[in-house]
PDB file of all heavy atoms in Angstrom:
ATOM      1  N   MET A  12      15.766   9.320   3.243  1.00 49.00           N
ATOM      2  CA  MET A  12      15.364  10.488   4.019  1.00 49.00           C
ATOM      3  C   MET A  12      15.300  10.150   5.514  1.00 49.00           C
ATOM      4  O   MET A  12      15.263  11.027   6.347  1.00 49.00           O
ATOM      5  CB  MET A  12      14.033  11.034   3.544  1.00 49.00           C
ATOM      6  CG  MET A  12      12.882  10.113   3.709  1.00 49.00           C
ATOM      7  SD  MET A  12      11.420  11.011   3.208  1.00 49.00           S
ATOM      8  CE  MET A  12      10.164   9.986   3.878  1.00 49.00           C
ATOM      9  N   SER A  44       4.187  18.049  22.057  1.00 95.00           N
ATOM     10  CA  SER A  44       2.745  18.273  22.051  1.00 95.00           C
ATOM     11  C   SER A  44       2.309  18.417  20.596  1.00 95.00           C
ATOM     12  O   SER A  44       3.117  18.751  19.723  1.00 95.00           O
ATOM     13  CB  SER A  44       2.415  19.550  22.813  1.00 95.00           C
ATOM     14  OG  SER A  44       2.930  20.655  22.088  1.00 95.00           O
ATOM     15  N   CYS A  89       0.269  30.735   9.621  1.00 96.00           N
ATOM     16  CA  CYS A  89       1.044  31.461   8.608  1.00 96.00           C
ATOM     17  C   CYS A  89       0.539  32.906   8.480  1.00 96.00           C
ATOM     18  O   CYS A  89       1.330  33.848   8.374  1.00 96.00           O
ATOM     19  CB  CYS A  89       0.940  30.787   7.242  1.00 96.00           C
ATOM     20  SG  CYS A  89       1.825  29.234   7.155  1.00 96.00           S
ATOM     21  N   ARG A  94       1.885  38.080   9.028  1.00 94.00           N
ATOM     22  CA  ARG A  94       1.002  39.255   9.013  1.00 94.00           C
ATOM     23  C   ARG A  94       0.328  39.437   7.645  1.00 94.00           C
ATOM     24  O   ARG A  94       0.364  40.511   7.041  1.00 94.00           O
ATOM     25  CB  ARG A  94       1.787  40.516   9.399  1.00 94.00           C
ATOM     26  CG  ARG A  94       2.354  40.424  10.806  1.00 94.00           C
ATOM     27  CD  ARG A  94       2.725  41.779  11.339  1.00 94.00           C
ATOM     28  NE  ARG A  94       3.911  42.341  10.709  1.00 94.00           N
ATOM     29  CZ  ARG A  94       5.166  41.986  11.041  1.00 94.00           C
ATOM     30  NH1 ARG A  94       5.365  41.097  11.995  1.00 94.00           N
ATOM     31  NH2 ARG A  94       6.193  42.542  10.428  1.00 94.00           N
ATOM     32  N   ARG A 106       8.146  37.437  -0.169  1.00 94.00           N
ATOM     33  CA  ARG A 106       8.834  36.748  -1.271  1.00 94.00           C
ATOM     34  C   ARG A 106       9.799  35.689  -0.748  1.00 94.00           C
ATOM     35  O   ARG A 106      10.126  34.754  -1.461  1.00 94.00           O
ATOM     36  CB  ARG A 106       9.572  37.755  -2.157  1.00 94.00           C
ATOM     37  CG  ARG A 106       8.627  38.431  -3.122  1.00 94.00           C
ATOM     38  CD  ARG A 106       9.350  39.008  -4.316  1.00 94.00           C
ATOM     39  NE  ARG A 106       8.452  39.888  -5.044  1.00 94.00           N
ATOM     40  CZ  ARG A 106       8.534  41.213  -5.017  1.00 94.00           C
ATOM     41  NH1 ARG A 106       9.493  41.798  -4.318  1.00 94.00           N
ATOM     42  NH2 ARG A 106       7.672  41.943  -5.685  1.00 94.00           N
ATOM     43  N   PHE A 108       9.055  34.005   2.072  1.00 96.00           N
ATOM     44  CA  PHE A 108       8.182  32.990   2.671  1.00 96.00           C
ATOM     45  C   PHE A 108       7.389  32.227   1.593  1.00 96.00           C
ATOM     46  O   PHE A 108       7.179  31.015   1.698  1.00 96.00           O
ATOM     47  CB  PHE A 108       7.230  33.690   3.652  1.00 96.00           C
ATOM     48  CG  PHE A 108       6.053  32.850   4.068  1.00 96.00           C
ATOM     49  CD1 PHE A 108       6.219  31.793   4.967  1.00 96.00           C
ATOM     50  CD2 PHE A 108       4.765  33.094   3.569  1.00 96.00           C
ATOM     51  CE1 PHE A 108       5.138  31.014   5.360  1.00 96.00           C
ATOM     52  CE2 PHE A 108       3.680  32.306   3.948  1.00 96.00           C
ATOM     53  CZ  PHE A 108       3.870  31.275   4.850  1.00 96.00           C
ATOM     54  N   GLU A 129     -11.446  16.600  -0.573  1.00 90.00           N
ATOM     55  CA  GLU A 129     -12.369  17.423   0.206  1.00 90.00           C
ATOM     56  C   GLU A 129     -12.325  18.868  -0.257  1.00 90.00           C
ATOM     57  O   GLU A 129     -11.255  19.464  -0.330  1.00 90.00           O
ATOM     58  CB  GLU A 129     -11.969  17.369   1.681  1.00 90.00           C
ATOM     59  CG  GLU A 129     -12.725  16.346   2.468  1.00 90.00           C
ATOM     60  CD  GLU A 129     -12.688  16.681   3.951  1.00 90.00           C
ATOM     61  OE1 GLU A 129     -13.449  17.572   4.369  1.00 90.00           O
ATOM     62  OE2 GLU A 129     -11.882  16.073   4.660  1.00 90.00           O
ATOM     63  N   ILE A 133      -9.159  22.178  -0.574  1.00 95.00           N
ATOM     64  CA  ILE A 133      -8.859  23.039  -1.725  1.00 95.00           C
ATOM     65  C   ILE A 133      -9.110  24.501  -1.351  1.00 95.00           C
ATOM     66  O   ILE A 133      -8.361  25.398  -1.732  1.00 95.00           O
ATOM     67  CB  ILE A 133      -9.733  22.640  -2.948  1.00 95.00           C
ATOM     68  CG1 ILE A 133      -9.498  21.172  -3.329  1.00 95.00           C
ATOM     69  CG2 ILE A 133      -9.493  23.568  -4.119  1.00 95.00           C
ATOM     70  CD1 ILE A 133      -8.205  20.901  -4.065  1.00 95.00           C
ATOM     71  N   LEU A 222      -1.452  -1.644  -6.523  1.00 94.00           N
ATOM     72  CA  LEU A 222      -0.678  -0.960  -5.483  1.00 94.00           C
ATOM     73  C   LEU A 222      -0.683   0.545  -5.694  1.00 94.00           C
ATOM     74  O   LEU A 222      -0.693   1.311  -4.739  1.00 94.00           O
ATOM     75  CB  LEU A 222       0.780  -1.435  -5.527  1.00 94.00           C
ATOM     76  CG  LEU A 222       1.096  -2.741  -4.831  1.00 94.00           C
ATOM     77  CD1 LEU A 222       2.593  -2.998  -4.875  1.00 94.00           C
ATOM     78  CD2 LEU A 222       0.638  -2.703  -3.384  1.00 94.00           C
ATOM     79  N   TYR A 268      -7.757 -18.538  -4.820  1.00 96.00           N
ATOM     80  CA  TYR A 268      -8.871 -19.384  -5.264  1.00 96.00           C
ATOM     81  C   TYR A 268      -8.781 -19.722  -6.741  1.00 96.00           C
ATOM     82  O   TYR A 268      -9.179 -20.803  -7.164  1.00 96.00           O
ATOM     83  CB  TYR A 268     -10.213 -18.709  -4.947  1.00 96.00           C
ATOM     84  CG  TYR A 268     -10.688 -19.020  -3.543  1.00 96.00           C
ATOM     85  CD1 TYR A 268     -10.268 -18.252  -2.465  1.00 96.00           C
ATOM     86  CD2 TYR A 268     -11.538 -20.096  -3.309  1.00 96.00           C
ATOM     87  CE1 TYR A 268     -10.693 -18.547  -1.172  1.00 96.00           C
ATOM     88  CE2 TYR A 268     -11.970 -20.407  -2.023  1.00 96.00           C
ATOM     89  CZ  TYR A 268     -11.539 -19.627  -0.949  1.00 96.00           C
ATOM     90  OH  TYR A 268     -11.958 -19.938   0.315  1.00 96.00           O
ATOM     91  N   GLU A 288       2.434 -28.095 -11.997  1.00 97.00           N
ATOM     92  CA  GLU A 288       3.820 -27.786 -12.387  1.00 97.00           C
ATOM     93  C   GLU A 288       3.921 -26.411 -13.031  1.00 97.00           C
ATOM     94  O   GLU A 288       4.884 -25.680 -12.813  1.00 97.00           O
ATOM     95  CB  GLU A 288       4.357 -28.878 -13.323  1.00 97.00           C
ATOM     96  CG  GLU A 288       4.530 -30.190 -12.581  1.00 97.00           C
ATOM     97  CD  GLU A 288       5.435 -31.194 -13.287  1.00 97.00           C
ATOM     98  OE1 GLU A 288       5.459 -31.208 -14.540  1.00 97.00           O
ATOM     99  OE2 GLU A 288       6.108 -31.950 -12.575  1.00 97.00           O
ATOM    100  N   ASP A 442     -16.752 -24.639  -1.057  1.00 91.00           N
ATOM    101  CA  ASP A 442     -17.536 -25.868  -1.253  1.00 91.00           C
ATOM    102  C   ASP A 442     -17.338 -26.426  -2.651  1.00 91.00           C
ATOM    103  O   ASP A 442     -17.164 -27.632  -2.843  1.00 91.00           O
ATOM    104  CB  ASP A 442     -19.035 -25.588  -1.036  1.00 91.00           C
ATOM    105  CG  ASP A 442     -19.357 -25.432   0.443  1.00 91.00           C
ATOM    106  OD1 ASP A 442     -18.463 -25.725   1.274  1.00 91.00           O
ATOM    107  OD2 ASP A 442     -20.484 -25.001   0.765  1.00 91.00           O
ATOM    108  N   SER A 465     -22.755 -34.339   2.220  1.00 91.00           N
ATOM    109  CA  SER A 465     -23.523 -33.131   2.557  1.00 91.00           C
ATOM    110  C   SER A 465     -23.399 -32.101   1.433  1.00 91.00           C
ATOM    111  O   SER A 465     -24.331 -31.348   1.168  1.00 91.00           O
ATOM    112  CB  SER A 465     -23.055 -32.555   3.872  1.00 91.00           C
ATOM    113  OG  SER A 465     -21.799 -31.927   3.707  1.00 91.00           O
TER     114      SER A 465
END
Side-chain angles (χ1 to χ4, degrees):
M12 63 176 195
S44 67
C89 289
R94 298 198 288 280
R106 280 202 193 106
F108 165 74
E129 264 201 78
I133 302 284
L222 278 185
Y268 274 86
E288 292 198 328
D442 285 350
S465 74

